[in-house]
Amino acid sequence: MNILLTGGAGYIGSHTAIEFIEKGHSVVIVDNLVNSNHFAIKRIEEISRQKIPFYNIDVADIANLDKVFCKHKIDAVVHFAGLKAVGESVQIPVKYYRNNIDSTLGLLEIMEKHNVVNFIFSSSATVYGNNNDIPYNENMLAGNCSSPYAWTKFFIEQILKDVAVVNQNFSVVLLRYFNPVGAHPSGKTGENPNGIPNNLFPYISQVAIGKLSELKIFGNDYPTKDGTGVRDYIHVVDLAKGHVAALEYAEKHKGAEAINLGTGRGYSVLDIVKTFEKANNVKIPYQIVGRRAGDLSEYYADASKAVLLLNWKAEKTLEDMCRDTWRWQRQNPNGYDE
Ligand code: NAD
Ligand code: UDP
């Protein structure tokens, strides 16, 4: 199949491109590089040993997007493109709604024009909001979101479900990611945050390499096993393989289906620090500070629907996540800035 990856130069998109190619598919990437780097495309090409058609355009720019669909016969779309910083979305909500929702609407218009009906969407566990019990399962009512970012995912899910009602041929899988971490085992692709990282894994790896002096652990008074926050971390390569499985499912089905991509297991911040230290033989100095506003104490996936419908489950361990993150960081101390 010929698969369009919007946001394919980004962290998850680049790893997913590699897995699709590995399975014999062709990919076309559209990305405006607002949060990524063209060197990521070069690295995908290095790993997969082939040239990738890449277009530096905004997905909301439908005139140029249309040209991409005219040039390539697209069979399916995986829509990663979006702004994703939760905290930033609270500060500049209009920019988040405009970017994430407009780009999806434009994409849907062009897909309809070209009669493309298979769609995989990068949703998020944040759609489960504040009030659901753990583990989160797909039958729970989503909503009560705690940031504009999460609401963009919630609204886009709704838009896609509405399209599936009227277009009987449309097939969409709403993949609700938990916490993607890690890097390609080659060390050539990985997470490349701008400035000081917000997320735990890139922060820890920058402490390990000496760019940051110590980790600040946001709270040790949560009702969890050691008081620190618990999340369901999933290796980005497992997550990428989940997209391959989701597309195989989408091809054979119609309608909209929300599916969690997580491991089903929660680890605390202290678990991560200890495992990272042990797996990589490094020291991570840390300090406990106050809770971060908006953080939930603990959540993880009920990962059974993905097993049932996609015949997919995460296989990599927390040690793999820590080792691969560190290999990427060590080999690329400045990320993709070559
Ligand atoms: P990322 O920022 O690395 O990748 C997103 C890519 O989209 C970037 O390359 C960016 O340049 C591009 N982009 C953004 N807006 C665009 C637009 N209008 N037109 C063209 N390109 C545009 O993020 P990621 O971690 O790879 O996440 C991919 C998707 O998964 C996002 O939609 C994100 O919200 C979602 N997601 C991520 C996580 C996570 O923790 N990483 C968790 C849940 C969901
Ligand atoms: N965390 C932390 N220090 C940091 C970054 C994150 O203690 O510098 C904690 C955070 O409070 C949460 C966990 O690590 O309990 C995962 O945070 P991350 O930002 O990676 O993911 P999210 O909050 O989106 O689940």
Side-chain angles (χ1 to χ4, degrees):
M1 277 209 278
N2 207 17
I3 305 160
L4 176 71
L5 308 185
T6 72
Y11 173 45
I12 301 169
S14 55
H15 291 88
T16 305
I18 294 164
E19 296 307 317
F20 274 129
I21 295 168
E22 181 107 323
K23 279 277 178 186
H25 297 292
S26 302
V27 302
V28 175
I29 292 179
V30 165
D31 196 307
N32 64 359
L33 304 181
V34 66
N35 195 40
S36 50
N37 189 305
H38 67 277
F39 285 120
I41 305 289
K42 219 173 105 187
R43 297 290 180 88
I44 303 169
E45 290 178 334
E46 252 175 72
I47 294 171
S48 57
R49 288 191 220 92
Q50 57 179 268
K51 189 98 190 91
I52 313 281
F54 168 63
Y55 298 89
N56 181 350
I57 57 174
D58 191 314
V59 180
D61 172 358
I62 53 173
N64 275 314
L65 191 65
D66 190 31
K67 287 185 192 152
V68 175
F69 276 76
C70 288
K71 174 136 195 236
H72 301 272
K73 158 99 194 65
I74 302 294
D75 300 303
V77 174
V78 188
H79 184 34
F80 299 100
L83 298 175
K84 65 158 183 178
V86 174
E88 187 182 64
S89 79
V90 177
Q91 302 305 320
I92 43 172
V94 175
K95 188 166 178 193
Y96 270 68
Y97 287 116
R98 170 69 82 190
N99 186 74
N100 293 2
I101 294 178
D102 260 11
S103 58
T104 308
L105 293 173
L107 181 58
L108 285 167
E109 283 171 10
I110 299 300
M111 284 177 66
E112 190 180 6
K113 179 174 172 201
H114 292 267
N115 214 4
V116 179
V117 291
N118 294 318
F119 195 100
I120 309 296
F121 175 59
S122 294
S123 190
S124 157
T126 58
V127 300
Y128 288 110
N130 297 322
N131 295 341
N132 277 311
D133 294 330
I134 46 172
Y136 293 159
N137 74 63
E138 298 85 346
N139 294 324
M140 290 172 165
L141 208 58
N144 270 313
C145 298
S146 55
S147 69
Y149 164 76
W151 280 117
T152 68
K153 297 297 178 189
F154 177 88
F155 293 140
I156 293 168
E157 284 199 2
Q158 187 58 49
I159 291 166
L160 293 168
K161 288 178 197 163
D162 291 344
V163 173
V165 170
V166 288
N167 182 347
Q168 303 290 310
N169 293 319
F170 195 64
S171 179
V172 57
V173 184
L174 313 165
L175 291 177
R176 295 176 175 169
Y177 310 156
F178 281 68
N179 286 52
V181 298
H184 193 264
S186 65
K188 286 180 192 290
T189 52
E191 194 170 5
N192 186 37
N194 286 324
I196 297 177
N198 294 313
N199 297 112
L200 184 63
F201 266 73
Y203 201 104
I204 288 182
S205 60
Q206 292 198 13
V207 170
I209 207 152
K211 283 181 139 186
L212 297 167
S213 59
E214 63 176 11
L215 171 69
K216 295 190 175 40
I217 296 185
F218 299 138
N220 67 348
D221 56 352
Y222 285 109
T224 60
K225 62 173 189 173
D226 59 24
T228 66
V230 168
R231 297 287 183 275
D232 183 339
Y233 298 95
I234 173 169
H235 196 295
V236 69
V237 172
D238 276 333
L239 189 80
K241 289 182 172 157
H243 292 71
V244 178
L247 188 53
E248 281 167 11
Y249 175 86
E251 268 189 283
K252 295 189 212 99
H253 295 82
K254 301 288 167 218
E257 203 68 67
I259 302 181
N260 290 338
L261 291 185
T263 65
R265 174 142 196 213
Y267 286 104
S268 73
V269 179
L270 286 172
D271 287 334
I272 306 300
V273 171
K274 285 182 209 142
T275 310
F276 197 97
E277 289 186 328
K278 188 151 175 252
N280 298 317
N281 198 21
V282 292
K283 199 82 204 118
I284 308 295
Y286 68 82
Q287 191 198 144
I288 309 286
V289 299
R291 293 180 177 190
R292 181 170 65 179
D295 269 357
L296 296 181
S297 114
E298 175 168 18
Y299 64 87
Y300 47 89
D302 174 338
S304 56
K305 188 172 177 187
V307 177
L308 199 71
L309 296 193
L310 307 183
N311 194 25
W312 167 93
K313 73 172 170 31
E315 281 166 358
K316 293 191 181 268
T317 64
L318 188 60
E319 283 76 14
D320 295 327
M321 303 179 210
C322 292
R323 264 196 297 269
D324 291 340
T325 301
W326 182 226
R327 185 179 304 106
W328 153 254
Q329 177 70 69
R330 250 185 2 221
Q331 288 180 203
N332 308 272
N334 298 314
Y336 287 119
D337 296 333
E338 293 185 344

